Amino acid sequence: VLARVYSKLDPDITYLRYLTIDGDWLLLTILGTDKNLIPLESKGVSVSLENLTNQTDQRRFEPDLLHELYNLLWKPAAEFIKTQRVAVIPEGLLFNLSFEILSKKQIADWSQLADQSLLQDHSFSYQYGLLFLDLRRDELYEDQLVAFAPGFFDTMKQTYSASFLDRQFLDLEYLKLIPQPFTRRLVEEISSKFDAKVFLESGSTVK
């Protein structure tokens, strides 16, 4: 299956697949037939992503963190990223990060991102996994638009937590996910313009 997926990847896009194995962070870069598996500084990545989550929860962001994440997540693979277009396949708390705003240099003010962010050099797209790229381009899909927006709102997390008598079985990573009201509004707007089937909040998850 992976061989078929690799053969269908766009040769003008660099794919960055982040993954964790037994607590170790790794990055697989794919550009055409060139593939590189890069070990990342796992402890630093984990700590920085926790800081990102905490700052998001507090709605207080420190510009220094964007350069820190750049050094941890992007710089180790910089020599293999040779295209303007980049597709990121994140994992875990990386789903909370927009790579566009990572800063190439240390910045003291948000206004400096206009010159220092990765968005100046690259355009980004995001995928849930490599297998989702196994698209049959010759197949046509009509009137089959389905949209999912879990939202990850606080009320959902409270309901989820209350359903467990023993907290040791809770998925703590789920409880850390950032609420996504903009995603919900986007899905609702899409459904108002197209004949789409929409699944919101808990209705978008497997039961």
Side-chain angles (χ1 to χ4, degrees), residues 128 145-156 174 177-191 196-206:
Y128 284 107
L145 180 60
V146 179
F148 298 84
F152 309 124
F153 299 113
D154 291 340
T155 52
M156 295 175 60
Y174 167 74
L177 292 174
I178 299 172
Q180 299 176 343
F182 298 108
T183 303
R184 176 177 178 135
R185 285 200 290 271
L186 175 61
V187 165
E188 290 175 333
E189 183 177 345
I190 290 174
S191 67
K197 190 169 185 178
V198 176
F199 297 88
L200 300 173
E201 299 187 19
S202 59
S204 68
T205 59
V206 178

Side-chain angles (χ1 to χ4, degrees), residues 86-143:
V86 176
V88 178
I89 307 168
E91 181 159 317
L93 293 179
L94 277 180
F95 278 100
N96 294 333
L97 177 64
S98 295
F99 279 71
E100 294 91 330
I101 62 172
L102 295 185
S103 175
K104 294 173 286 185
K105 294 183 179 180
Q106 197 81 30
I107 61 174
D109 186 86
W110 290 105
S111 63
Q112 294 177 271
L113 277 179
D115 297 318
Q116 299 301 332
S117 72
L118 287 178
L119 191 58
Q120 299 302 308
D121 305 312
H122 302 278
S123 62
F124 290 85
S125 62
Y126 296 85
Q127 299 287 341
Y128 284 107
L130 279 173
L131 295 181
F132 282 88
L133 300 173
D134 184 22
L135 302 178
R136 305 297 202 280
R137 295 183 181 178
D138 55 340
E139 293 182 2
L140 296 178
Y141 298 91
E142 297 181 357
D143 302 322

Side-chain angles (χ1 to χ4, degrees), residues 37-97:
L37 187 62
I38 305 165
L40 302 177
E41 206 281 282
S42 299
K43 183 176 181 180
V45 171
S46 297
V47 170
S48 294
L49 290 178
E50 288 285 349
N51 289 338
L52 175 67
T53 300
N54 292 335
Q55 290 184 19
T56 302
D57 289 342
Q58 299 169 12
R59 291 176 173 80
R60 178 185 58 82
F61 296 94
E62 298 293 337
D64 289 351
L65 184 58
L66 300 179
H67 182 60
E68 183 179 311
L69 288 166
Y70 168 87
N71 286 329
L72 290 165
L73 299 171
W74 184 272
K75 191 174 180 179
E79 63 179 294
F80 304 115
I81 303 173
K82 302 173 182 178
T83 59
Q84 191 270 337
R85 297 168 64 194
V86 176
V88 178
I89 307 168
E91 181 159 317
L93 293 179
L94 277 180
F95 278 100
N96 294 333
L97 177 64

